[in-house]
Amino acid sequence: MQLVEFLAPHFAFVSDPTAWVALLTLVVLEVVLGIDNLIFISILTNKLPEAQRARARRLGISAALIMRLVLLATISIIVQLTPVFTALGHGFSWRDLILIAGGLFLVWKATKEIHHTVDPQDHQDTMVGGTLQMSLAGAIFQILLLDLVFSIDSIITAVGMTDEIAIMYIAVIVAVSVMMLAATPLANFIAKNPTIVMLALGFLLMIGMTLIADGMGYHVPKGYIYTAMGFSALVEGLNMLARHRKKQRSSGGH
């Protein structure tokens, strides 16, 4: 009874139609914001032995969900990330520094993976070659590291959409659940289509640069990013269809 009384004020929104619209909109936004994170998880876990991949995705995404819920609990701190120093005419907050660090990590990771994909025989003993022997713990750590970066924008988006903490929690849980369901199919699709790997790495490179730009005070509208990603994915889809048709005709000719 006491638990019901405690939770009742947080779920008062159920009788408000506008709150349901906000919840639906926020769920969609959270899922969209999770796409880039999901691409990174798919590429990263495909470096593990096949027997560990599904487990790494489950553990990494589950830990990421817990981290996001904890961050939501400290939402007042996230919103009030004030500048800690000023440089080049821009006041850098902890949010900015996290975005810049995450962007640099994404650019480094994507560049290394592109290098390895283009020339897999080169630098086998470097960090690029080392990604082939990545441990389960190492993969989960990198998933959490990048999810921390993506979580900041995700939570700030949630705060901008609604004041209801319950709506924020539900939206995050639904979005991460969708990520959990989509992670393995996406990873398998990427693994079976080598050209998709290069496209996905290109996406990560672009996302990394936009995170750095955002941290430096130059905001790039998310719509531009997702439009570019969507157009590139459409072109690659047409290429895959053309290759498939060509292969069918070649098989039929024989």
Side-chain angles (χ1 to χ4, degrees):
M1 188 66 182
Q2 290 181 341
L3 179 62
V4 174
E5 292 176 354
F6 173 76
L7 292 175
H10 297 290
F11 287 89
F13 72 88
V14 295
S15 59
D16 183 3
T18 59
W20 284 100
V21 173
L23 174 60
L24 180 61
T25 305
L26 187 54
V27 166
V28 173
L29 285 174
E30 293 291 331
V31 170
V32 172
L33 287 171
I35 291 173
D36 39 19
N37 199 3
L38 197 55
I39 292 172
F40 176 80
I41 291 171
S42 299
I43 292 176
L44 189 66
T45 52
N46 279 347
K47 293 291 182 183
L48 291 167
E50 189 170 354
Q52 294 184 350
R53 292 174 187 175
R55 184 184 176 202
R57 292 180 201 117
R58 287 196 301 269
L59 289 175
I61 295 175
S62 299
L65 171 61
I66 294 171
M67 183 173 66
R68 289 195 182 199
L69 295 179
V70 170
L71 286 174
L72 272 175
T74 58
I75 200 165
S76 58
I77 300 174
I78 300 292
V79 176
Q80 299 173 6
L81 290 177
T82 54
V84 290
F85 69 90
T86 302
L88 304 174
H90 175 63
F92 289 87
S93 67
W94 283 111
R95 171 186 177 274
D96 296 329
L97 296 178
I98 291 171
L99 290 180
I100 292 171
L104 288 172
F105 176 76
L106 265 187
V107 169
W108 172 81
K109 188 72 178 176
T111 302
K112 290 289 188 182
E113 293 298 335
I114 289 172
H115 186 193
H116 175 71
T117 303
V118 171
D119 190 2
Q121 299 304 317
D122 191 23
H123 300 295
Q124 289 295 316
D125 295 327
T126 64
M127 186 65 74
V128 186
T131 57
L132 293 173
Q133 304 300 323
M134 180 180 295
S135 67
L136 179 64
I140 293 172
F141 174 75
Q142 291 191 39
I143 290 172
L144 286 176
L145 183 65
L146 258 296
D147 194 75
L148 172 63
V149 177
F150 292 126
S151 293
I152 298 296
D153 265 2
S154 171
I155 289 170
I156 289 173
T157 299
V159 174
M161 282 292 301
T162 180
D163 294 327
E164 295 284 350
I165 190 70
I167 291 178
M168 298 180 202
Y169 270 105
I170 293 170
V172 168
I173 291 171
V174 171
V176 174
S177 298
V178 170
M179 286 175 60
M180 185 79 78
L181 292 173
T184 297
L186 179 62
N188 291 339
F189 180 73
I190 288 175
K192 292 176 182 176
N193 297 274
T195 55
I196 293 291
V197 175
M198 189 61 71
L199 182 65
L201 290 171
F203 288 165
L204 291 181
L205 199 59
M206 178 174 65
I207 293 164
M209 291 303 299
T210 57
L211 287 175
I212 295 170
D214 199 353
M216 296 291 290
Y218 302 96
H219 180 66
V220 181
K222 288 290 193 302
Y224 293 165
I225 304 301
Y226 294 125
T227 299
M229 290 172 67
F231 179 75
S232 300
L234 176 62
V235 171
E236 181 57 29
L238 292 174
N239 282 331
M240 291 172 64
L241 180 61
R243 287 194 297 269
H244 178 68
R245 292 285 175 85
K246 186 176 180 180
K247 186 177 180 181
Q248 279 185 328
R249 286 196 299 268
S250 299
S251 300
H254 289 85

